[in-house]
Amino acid sequence: MLLYACRRYDALARDYGVVCHTARVAYHRVKCGPLPVPELPDLTVVAEELVRRVITRTVLEATAPAPILLRATPDELSTLAEASIGETRRRGKFLLVPFQRADGERRILAANAMLAGRFWLVPTHERVRARTGLRLRLDDGQDLRYVDREMLGKLYLVAPDRLEDIPGWAEMGPDADDPELTLDRFKERIRRHPGELKPLLRNSRFVAGIGNAYSDEILWEARLAPFRRRSSLKPDDIDRLYHAMRTVLADAVERLRSLVPPDIQTQHREFLKVHLRGGEACPRCGRDLRQIGGREATTFCRTCQPPL
Ligand SMILES: [Zn+2]
């Protein structure tokens, strides 16, 4: 099963005519860094696919093979048996899967995948992988599983009116693609958040859903250097930042809709314009893209994104 489409490995594999998925992940980690963290576009498309494939399905059995990831007791989890699945959605970097239990009570599974957590939809008979944090056996011969190679993700099972109990939930700002986040509201919010632009975009208290990859893409699109301070921005710059944020995220969702399904566990980043493309030509000016940092690399163009 493909976990991540690594363009460097895949180019090599094409030359040699062999593809090994384990080798792809190992190669990617050495050459490109850790597996990519799911961000707003990735999770939006996974949520859409889960709506298509598991809505109204009934859970036959709910278990936690690697229980450390689940913030709920085995008894609480077992109450999902005979529950039916509602409409999955995304909020910030959480995927929210709602359940209506047999007794009429509602519960929401809120998953924050952090680094490497992924949902898998697989036939029930498929081998259960190590580090499977949750296994829901469904009534159509499929399992909805949550697998986390790094064991850093968190799964919460809460009543719909208790989402605020989840750490970080109450402080979360609006989703970066929230229709109610207008340019005026964006301008008003950005005033309250000082500091450099890249950490600002990644700060979920400001806007939710953006991580390391899409912040690079947005800042390149907006022609703003990642290290510029918010206080140095002119009104025009803020307008450009807002429009770049909306365009980059909407375009990525569109692109991922054609790439991700049906393998929701696969993360695609190969179409990004600058992120992790240090040393390659800038798609706008042709100069070399600059990349700094290790695990949390930042890629930008010194010409298109001048320091000031
Ligand atoms: Zn450039």
Side-chain angles (χ1 to χ4, degrees):
M1 275 291 196
L2 176 67
L3 271 172
Y4 175 58
C6 174
R7 61 196 156 78
R8 293 187 186 186
Y9 175 83
D10 291 346
L12 263 182
R14 262 196 306 276
D15 289 348
Y16 289 96
V18 282
V19 176
C20 165
H21 300 311
T22 308
R24 173 194 273 126
V25 172
Y27 185 90
H28 174 80
R29 292 192 131 191
V30 172
K31 294 289 182 181
C32 311
L35 290 169
V37 179
E39 300 185 32
L40 185 152
D42 310 299
L43 296 172
T44 299
V45 174
V46 171
E48 289 174 355
E49 184 67 359
L50 286 179
V51 169
R52 267 194 292 275
R53 292 172 58 193
V54 303
I55 196 166
T56 73
R57 296 257 70 100
T58 299
V59 177
L60 299 180
E61 187 187 20
T63 50
I68 194 169
L69 300 169
L70 184 70
R71 270 40 178 184
T73 65
D75 281 351
E76 285 167 330
L77 183 63
S78 67
T79 64
L80 291 187
E82 292 180 48
S84 69
I85 302 179
E87 187 169 340
T88 301
R89 64 187 178 92
R90 178 197 55 77
R91 169 79 173 102
K93 291 187 186 164
F94 287 90
L95 265 189
L96 305 173
V97 188
F99 297 88
Q100 173 142 14
R101 297 191 329 199
D103 60 4
E105 288 277 307
R106 293 173 185 273
R107 288 289 179 274
I108 292 182
L109 175 74
N112 184 351
M114 304 293 285
L115 264 179
R118 303 282 186 269
F119 278 100
W120 295 63
L121 261 175
V122 291
T124 295
H125 58 75
E126 193 162 305
R127 179 181 64 86
V128 177
R129 292 169 170 260
R131 304 186 176 190
T132 296
L134 179 70
R135 180 184 185 195
L136 301 177
R137 195 156 61 79
L138 308 182
D139 61 348
D140 64 348
Q142 292 189 98
D143 274 12
L144 177 60
R145 297 180 189 170
Y146 174 84
V147 182
D148 193 333
R149 289 160 23 91
E150 304 280 349
M151 300 291 276
L152 290 171
K154 293 180 183 65
L155 301 170
Y156 304 89
L157 192 60
V158 295
D161 58 352
R162 301 307 295 266
L163 283 167
E164 307 249 320
D165 294 350
I166 296 171
W169 186 275
E171 299 82 35
M172 217 183 334
D175 279 323
D177 66 347
D178 187 337
E180 290 182 11
L181 180 62
T182 58
L183 176 57
D184 283 346
R185 209 170 146 219
F186 183 81
K187 284 178 180 166
E188 189 189 299
R189 293 187 64 78
I190 205 170
R191 273 204 297 268
R192 286 182 255 150
H193 292 273
E196 293 180 354
L197 296 181
K198 176 147 178 169
L200 171 71
L201 283 177
R202 297 183 60 183
N203 180 355
S204 65
R205 290 167 180 243
F206 172 51
V207 287
I210 299 172
N212 196 36
Y214 284 98
S215 54
D216 278 357
E217 296 295 299
I218 291 166
L219 289 167
W220 179 82
E221 186 68 34
R223 302 180 187 229
L224 294 168
F227 318 106
R228 269 187 69 173
R229 301 190 77 80
R230 188 271 293 151
S231 54
S232 78
L233 297 185
K234 299 188 175 59
D236 272 7
D237 296 328
I238 297 176
D239 288 8
R240 265 200 336 278
L241 180 59
Y242 174 78
H243 292 299
M245 178 181 82
R246 304 293 266 217
T247 311
V248 164
L249 296 176
D251 288 353
V253 168
E254 205 49 49
R255 191 74 191 263
L256 290 170
R257 280 183 183 135
S258 65
L259 290 171
V260 173
D263 292 327
I264 54 172
Q265 71 279 8
T266 304
Q267 199 137 350
H268 290 271
R269 290 279 160 82
E270 65 272 29
F271 60 90
L272 296 188
K273 290 177 179 163
V274 294
H275 183 64
L276 296 184
R277 290 185 182 272
E280 294 181 27
C282 166
R284 190 156 45 211
C285 73
R287 307 264 174 90
D288 284 357
L289 291 168
R290 193 71 202 285
Q291 188 163 310
I292 56 167
R295 281 176 72 88
E296 294 276 282
T298 292
T299 322
F300 61 105
C301 172
R302 275 185 295 187
T303 310
C304 298
Q305 298 166 268
L308 201 61

